[in-house]
Amino acid sequence: MVTSLRTAFLLLLLFSFDAMAAVGVLSEVEGDVQILRGDAFYEGVAGVEVDEQDIIETADEASVQLDMNDGSILKIAGGSRIMLSDYKLDDDGNVIEAAVDVLSGWLRFAVSKLHGEGKYEFNNSVMTVGIRGTEGIIEASKEQGALHLL
């Protein structure tokens, strides 16, 4: 009985860690960057992994690049707040669905070409944009948003 309970606990623990697998990593960090995960803030330094539902905040003079596990790159400008609201990958590292919310400020993105039925969205206060693999910049403020595709 004790062995089966211990095995069940270990399987639950492994499943929990797998469900919260990192979706990317911070790189090229300049200035004060923080990650809000749940109710806790973490210092954003190069090499720190990011998870789905994380909010990444940059101070006014800061910037950070996120190297996502699917090959996409997100460059977050100073004074910005970005949420990885939905980020699911298949076993090969391809996007099943991803949504990045630009809560304030702006980010530059280079999204890897999607395979199959993959879906990648950027949201701000006034629009949602679906991307299939391109580069651009998305901006958000309280009253307006903008999208520039390259």
Side-chain angles (χ1 to χ4, degrees):
M1 172 87 170
V2 172
T3 304
S4 62
L5 285 174
R6 185 176 298 152
T7 302
F9 176 74
L10 288 173
L11 288 173
L12 178 62
L13 190 61
L14 287 172
F15 177 74
S16 298
F17 281 127
D18 187 50
M20 297 179 69
V23 296
V25 64
L26 299 183
S27 66
E28 299 181 27
V29 178
E30 293 185 27
D32 185 24
V33 176
Q34 293 189 337
I35 300 170
L36 175 60
R37 183 173 295 149
D39 294 331
F41 279 97
Y42 299 93
E43 184 178 3
V45 295
V48 170
E49 293 181 330
V50 291
D51 298 333
E52 182 179 33
Q53 296 296 313
D54 280 354
I55 296 175
I56 297 93
E57 298 178 349
T58 57
D60 287 341
E61 302 299 319
S63 64
V64 64
Q65 178 172 307
L66 276 68
D67 296 336
M68 306 308 287
N69 291 350
D70 64 291
S72 297
I73 296 173
L74 307 176
K75 293 185 177 186
I76 303 171
S80 297
R81 195 164 196 248
I82 310 299
M83 180 178 186
L84 303 173
S85 58
D86 188 16
Y87 221 100
K88 294 178 181 50
L89 305 175
D90 65 18
D91 293 335
D92 295 324
N94 298 312
V95 168
I96 297 170
E97 60 184 355
V100 177
D101 298 343
V102 182
L103 304 172
S104 63
W106 65 272
L107 72 83
R108 182 177 188 129
F109 59 86
V111 172
S112 293
K113 185 165 174 57
L114 299 181
H115 300 279
E117 299 296 316
K119 183 171 96 171
Y120 210 116
E121 294 180 348
F122 288 98
N123 307 298
N124 66 18
S125 58
V126 296
M127 72 177 108
T128 296
V129 178
I131 303 291
R132 296 283 310 159
T134 192
E135 294 182 39
I137 298 170
I138 190 162
E139 181 180 3
S141 68
K142 289 183 181 179
E143 294 86 25
Q144 65 182 19
L147 171 70
H148 309 277
L149 296 177
L150 306 175

